[in-house]
Each structure stands twice: as structure tokens, then as C-alpha cells.
Amino acid sequence: MGHDHHHTHDTSTGNIRVAFFLNFVFAIIELIGGIYTNSVSILSDALHDFGDSISLGVAWYLQKVSARRSDRFYSYGYKRFSLIGAIFISVVLLAGSVVVIKECIGRIIEPQMPDAAGMFVLAILGIIVNGAAVIRLKRGSSLNERAVSLHMMEDVLGWVAVLIVSIVMHFVEWPILDPLLSIGISIWILTNVYRNLKATFRILLQKVPSDVDIERLEEEIRNTDRVLSIHDVHLWTLDGEENIMSLHAVIAPETTLDEQYTIKTQIKSVCASHGIDHATVEFETEEEACMQTNCGTFY
């Protein structure tokens, strides 16, 4: 299990690293292309991509940090550091979308005709480069990778829009198409940023993982041999992938150590079947008062 997680982190870091380099190199190409085609929209996109590169660099670093094992400073390890990366990228996307929408409104009021042929060539290149990064990141499962993948998807859609607009404008002079398409893409990105931030904050606020049916899980644990009742059940996720649980199980006072071991193994097996990698079980007898103040009701 530990080996799998380590392998997943290596893949995640590699995926984000590839996205970072692709984005940075392409931002330089865009800058040159923007100056060459005298296109303000491509130059502003180059600026946007340099901003992307910075946030991708931060995400790459935080994904590497999140692979570290637990130490005396962070007993659970550094997994949650990848969530900071997801928040950072989402904030950059948010700011970028606001700037793009503001720029588009200006372009709608005062339309400018860009170089359609130059836009067409750069759009083809943009779709290939960013498309390769999206395909690579689609395999990832961490929230950080999802945020980065969203970033790349924004760029791909942006270039598809540029491609369509450049083809249309080659035949007719409709400069307003460019800002209108950009606004549509920005709205799509903002809805996805909202979803990603919501998922990230749910983890930070220790919400019960949505992929675990806690009522069914508790029912199965209560049905375990020799378990009289359970209470003080806590279930949360470290990073959206690794789930953690702790609970108090009430057993008969005469239960032997061997029997306790069997009960604990059965409970942990039930937890594992629900995707919980780390379960802590504490035993109590009915005569023993629960020392926790927030134990809650007995089941």
C-alpha cells in the first residue's frame, strides 16, 4: 500500500514537472509569436502563460514536498501540502480569468482586427503542446494534478477558440468573435475552479469523504462478532486519496487479548473494504466511562 502511494506521488510529480516545462517553453514561443504577428490577444496570453508557469512551478514543488514521510513536525506526513498547490493554482486561474474578461469587455467596446494567419499557426501549435500536457495529467488523481490539468485544459480550449476565430476572420471581418469566445471559456474555467476549491476546502475542513458511506460502515462494524457498540467515530481524508478513521468499540470485560486482536483485525478489514487505509481502534468496556468529552451517543 505504501509503495503504491509512493509510486503515485512520483507519477504526480513527474506529470506536473512535464506540464511546467511545456508551459514555460510555450510561453516564450507565444511571446515571440505575439510580437511577430502583432497580436495583442496572443501577447496577453503569453503573459497569462508566464503566470501559469510560476503557479505550475509552485505546484510541482508542493507535490514533491507532499511525498515526504511523517516526521516530528508533521506526524501525518506532508500529503496536505499538495492541497496548497491546488488552492494556489485556483487563485491564479481566478485572477487570470478576471483579467481576461476585463480585456474582452474592452475589445467588445473597441474591436481590433488581429493577424488571422499568424493566429492560425500559433493556435495549431498551442493545441498540440497543451493537449500533450492534458493527456499526461488526465492520468493523475491528486487534487493538485486536477487543478493543473484544468489549467492546461483552459489553454487547449483557448487555442481551439483562437483557431476557430482565425479561420472565420480569414473570410469575414468579425473581430468581436475573439473576445466573445474568450468570455465563454473564462466562465467555463471559473465554474471548474469553484468545484475544485470546494473539494479542496472540504478536505481541509475534515468533511467525511464523499466516496465512503459512513452509516453502512458503522453498521458493518457494529455487526462484527463481540462488538457491543461503537462511538466517537471520526472519519476524514488527508488529501482526497488517503482516508483515516478512529473509533471506540465497546466489548465485554472478559474478552481475552487474543479475542481483542481478532476483533481489531475484523474491524480494520471492514474499514479497508470501504477504502480506509488507516484505522485506529480503541477498546472499552461498558463499565468504563468514555474519557472523551465529545464521545457522542452509544450505538
Side-chain angles (χ1 to χ4, degrees), residues 27-91:
I28 294 164
I29 294 166
E30 266 183 303
L31 194 66
I32 298 161
I35 294 163
Y36 180 75
T37 58
N38 198 26
S39 165
V40 185
S41 63
I42 287 172
L43 273 172
S44 66
D45 201 64
L47 195 72
H48 170 76
D49 271 357
F50 274 118
D52 283 0
S53 298
I54 295 162
S55 61
L56 285 168
V58 171
W60 171 27
Y61 169 72
L62 289 169
Q63 191 73 33
K64 275 175 78 174
V65 169
S66 73
R68 286 185 201 161
R69 303 260 177 230
S70 60
D71 57 24
R72 65 195 179 92
F73 301 109
Y74 294 93
S75 62
Y76 273 120
Y78 288 74
K79 281 188 164 58
R80 285 206 166 171
F81 276 68
S82 67
L83 298 181
I84 301 167
I87 292 169
F88 186 83
I89 292 181
S90 297
V91 169

Side-chain angles (χ1 to χ4, degrees), residues 2-299:
H3 175 74
D4 286 348
H5 275 302
H6 194 63
H7 176 70
T8 306
H9 272 288
D10 285 348
T11 310
S12 303
T13 310
N15 286 346
I16 293 170
R17 187 176 65 230
V18 169
F20 166 70
F21 285 121
L22 278 173
N23 212 264
F24 187 71
V25 170
F26 194 65
I28 294 164
I29 294 166
E30 266 183 303
L31 194 66
I32 298 161
I35 294 163
Y36 180 75
T37 58
N38 198 26
S39 165
V40 185
S41 63
I42 287 172
L43 273 172
S44 66
D45 201 64
L47 195 72
H48 170 76
D49 271 357
F50 274 118
D52 283 0
S53 298
I54 295 162
S55 61
L56 285 168
V58 171
W60 171 27
Y61 169 72
L62 289 169
Q63 191 73 33
K64 275 175 78 174
V65 169
S66 73
R68 286 185 201 161
R69 303 260 177 230
S70 60
D71 57 24
R72 65 195 179 92
F73 301 109
Y74 294 93
S75 62
Y76 273 120
Y78 288 74
K79 281 188 164 58
R80 285 206 166 171
F81 276 68
S82 67
L83 298 181
I84 301 167
I87 292 169
F88 186 83
I89 292 181
S90 297
V91 169
V92 169
L93 271 172
L94 202 67
S97 297
V98 169
V99 170
V100 167
I101 290 168
K102 190 169 169 278
E103 174 73 20
C104 290
I105 291 164
R107 286 291 180 96
I108 289 165
I109 297 162
E110 288 179 33
Q112 292 174 33
M113 193 67 190
D115 175 358
M119 282 172 72
F120 179 82
V121 174
L122 275 169
I124 297 288
L125 199 60
I127 290 164
I128 294 165
V129 173
N130 290 297
V134 169
I135 291 162
R136 178 84 191 248
L137 285 159
K138 275 285 178 199
R139 301 181 206 140
S141 55
S142 75
L143 273 171
N144 202 359
E145 280 174 292
R146 265 185 265 167
V148 174
S149 174
L150 187 63
H151 232 97
M152 291 295 161
M153 197 65 205
E154 175 200 26
D155 289 339
V156 171
L157 286 172
W159 285 114
V160 169
V162 170
L163 184 72
I164 295 163
V165 164
S166 67
I167 293 166
V168 172
M169 284 195 297
H170 188 73
F171 299 104
V172 285
E173 281 203 20
W174 283 350
I176 201 168
L177 277 180
D178 191 14
L180 283 178
L181 262 169
S182 293
I183 286 173
I185 292 159
S186 296
I187 290 165
W188 180 82
I189 289 299
L190 288 171
T191 55
N192 280 286
V193 163
Y194 167 72
R195 280 197 208 120
N196 213 37
L197 278 174
K198 199 163 93 171
T200 305
F201 280 107
R202 276 178 175 167
I203 292 169
L204 289 173
L205 295 168
Q206 296 191 318
K207 188 175 187 284
V208 171
S210 53
D211 56 341
V212 180
D213 183 345
I214 191 164
E215 286 173 0
R216 197 168 136 234
L217 172 60
E218 286 177 345
E219 185 63 38
E220 283 180 33
I221 294 169
R222 280 198 297 274
N223 290 338
T224 305
D225 287 342
R226 300 189 186 89
V227 171
L228 305 176
S229 63
I230 60 168
H231 57 272
D232 200 26
V233 178
H234 298 289
L235 174 60
W236 69 101
T237 181
L238 267 186
D239 58 353
E241 292 178 77
E242 189 171 335
N243 298 333
I244 293 171
M245 187 177 192
S246 69
L247 65 100
H248 290 200
V250 177
I251 54 172
E254 64 274 8
T255 312
T256 65
L257 278 173
D258 279 350
E259 285 169 344
Q260 283 183 30
Y261 174 77
T262 306
I263 298 165
K264 194 174 280 188
T265 307
Q266 285 174 338
I267 292 173
K268 289 195 174 194
S269 168
V270 168
C271 291
S273 72
H274 284 263
I276 296 153
D277 316 293
H278 191 106
T280 304
V281 182
E282 187 176 322
F283 288 130
E284 287 172 12
T285 59
E286 281 178 308
E287 290 79 39
E288 196 182 334
C290 181
M291 289 184 231
Q292 303 282 80
T293 52
N294 64 336
C295 264
T297 53
F298 276 61
Y299 293 104

